[in-house]
Amino acid sequence: QKEVEQNSGPLSVPEGAIASLNCTYSDRGSQSFFWYRQYSGKSPELIMSIYSNGDKEDGRFTAQLNKASQYVSLLIRDSQPSDSATYLCAVSNDYKLSFGAGTTVTVRA
Amino acid sequence: DAEITQSPRHKITETGRQVTLACHQTWNHNNMFWYRQDLGHGLRLIHYSYGVQDTNKGEVSDGYSVSRSNTEDLPLTLESAASSQTSVYFCASSESRLPAYEQYFGPGTRLTVT
């Protein structure tokens, strides 16, 4: 079983819709959870960090964490063409990160 | 502004040659990491360092080495390049402040081994 699993893509959403990305992890001791965005040919860029159960909102992005279910998600509201990218879920219980394989999102006009 | 840089950005080398990829950060972060990214495998950790003179192996460390002589730099050396090491390499760094393990990535080096 992989340490971090993300819903398989690609995910295609119309402009203005909500994109929902899911991630599950196997290590119950994980304390820190991150979402990175990676444009094609570029490096991963940190967009959200979440450390406690519940929701965390930052602009059009909302991260949700449920440690009991070992589940973290990312919602992108009012999706824009500029949101078309691969989104990586990362989980940590020390300074190292374990990454999921990523979900590619395409926002169609 | 503080940043993390990698050089070269692109490199073509021949099988069997030694190659060193540079990583330099100006955030004064204690922690530095090297990853490779390949289609179908995502980001995989090669080596990491939690401070000067500290180095540790990651999940795909065979054929790679690192050394940490100062806070700013963590060069990655491929001892004898193999075609299987053709990949995109990313360096990252983070603070040692709990629980913030946020890692920030460099622009990457695309390495081709022919």
Side-chain angles (χ1 to χ4, degrees):
Chain A
Q1 182 189 3
K2 290 184 179 179
E3 290 186 40
V4 181
E5 298 209 39
Q6 297 185 236
N7 50 332
S8 59
L11 180 65
S12 179
V13 299
E15 187 173 354
I18 295 175
S20 177
L21 307 173
N22 302 319
C23 174
T24 58
Y25 59 94
S26 59
D27 186 350
R28 268 195 190 279
S30 299
Q31 299 179 23
S32 306
F33 307 86
F34 308 95
W35 284 98
Y36 285 82
R37 177 176 63 197
Q38 187 175 24
Y39 293 116
S40 180
K42 301 296 185 182
S43 60
E45 172 192 12
L46 181 66
I47 57 172
M48 289 289 283
S49 308
I50 186 166
Y51 307 106
S52 55
N53 283 329
D55 295 357
K56 179 181 178 182
E57 186 175 314
D58 184 359
R60 295 185 295 109
F61 297 100
T62 299
Q64 299 173 317
L65 174 61
N66 184 325
K67 290 185 179 179
S69 299
Q70 295 176 243
Y71 174 91
V72 60
S73 66
L74 180 71
L75 299 177
I76 307 174
R77 294 184 303 280
D78 188 23
S79 295
Q80 300 297 309
S82 59
D83 296 324
S84 296
T86 296
Y87 291 81
L88 305 172
C89 173
V91 173
S92 175
N93 64 359
D94 59 20
Y95 298 128
K96 300 194 303 293
L97 296 182
S98 295
F99 285 87
T103 300
T104 298
V105 174
T106 300
V107 180
R108 56 185 191 275
Chain B
D1 286 342
E3 61 177 354
I4 181 166
T5 58
Q6 294 183 235
S7 62
R9 296 294 312 278
H10 301 272
K11 175 77 175 178
I12 300 174
T13 191
E14 295 177 345
T15 301
R17 290 191 179 271
Q18 184 180 79
V19 176
T20 297
L21 308 182
C23 176
H24 179 80
Q25 53 97 3
T26 58
W27 282 307
N28 201 36
H29 286 168
N30 284 332
N31 307 328
M32 295 184 73
F33 307 85
W34 274 104
Y35 296 89
R36 60 178 290 175
Q37 188 173 39
D38 307 285
L39 281 174
H41 290 282
L43 280 163
R44 293 184 290 174
L45 184 63
I46 305 171
H47 279 285
Y48 58 100
S49 168
Y50 291 157
V52 176
Q53 303 300 331
D54 175 75
T55 60
N56 307 278
K57 294 181 178 180
E59 61 179 299
V60 290
S61 61
D62 286 350
Y64 302 95
S65 65
V66 293
S67 62
R68 186 91 179 270
S69 58
N70 59 53
T71 300
E72 295 80 17
D73 299 289
L74 186 69
L76 177 71
T77 297
L78 286 68
E79 306 293 346
S80 177
S83 58
S84 60
Q85 294 177 310
T86 292
S87 186
V88 179
Y89 292 86
F90 290 106
C91 178
S93 70
S94 73
E95 293 183 10
S96 298
R97 175 173 55 90
L98 302 177
Y101 307 118
E102 298 169 348
Q103 291 186 17
Y104 299 93
F105 284 78
T109 294
R110 182 174 296 276
L111 177 68
T112 302
V113 182
T114 63

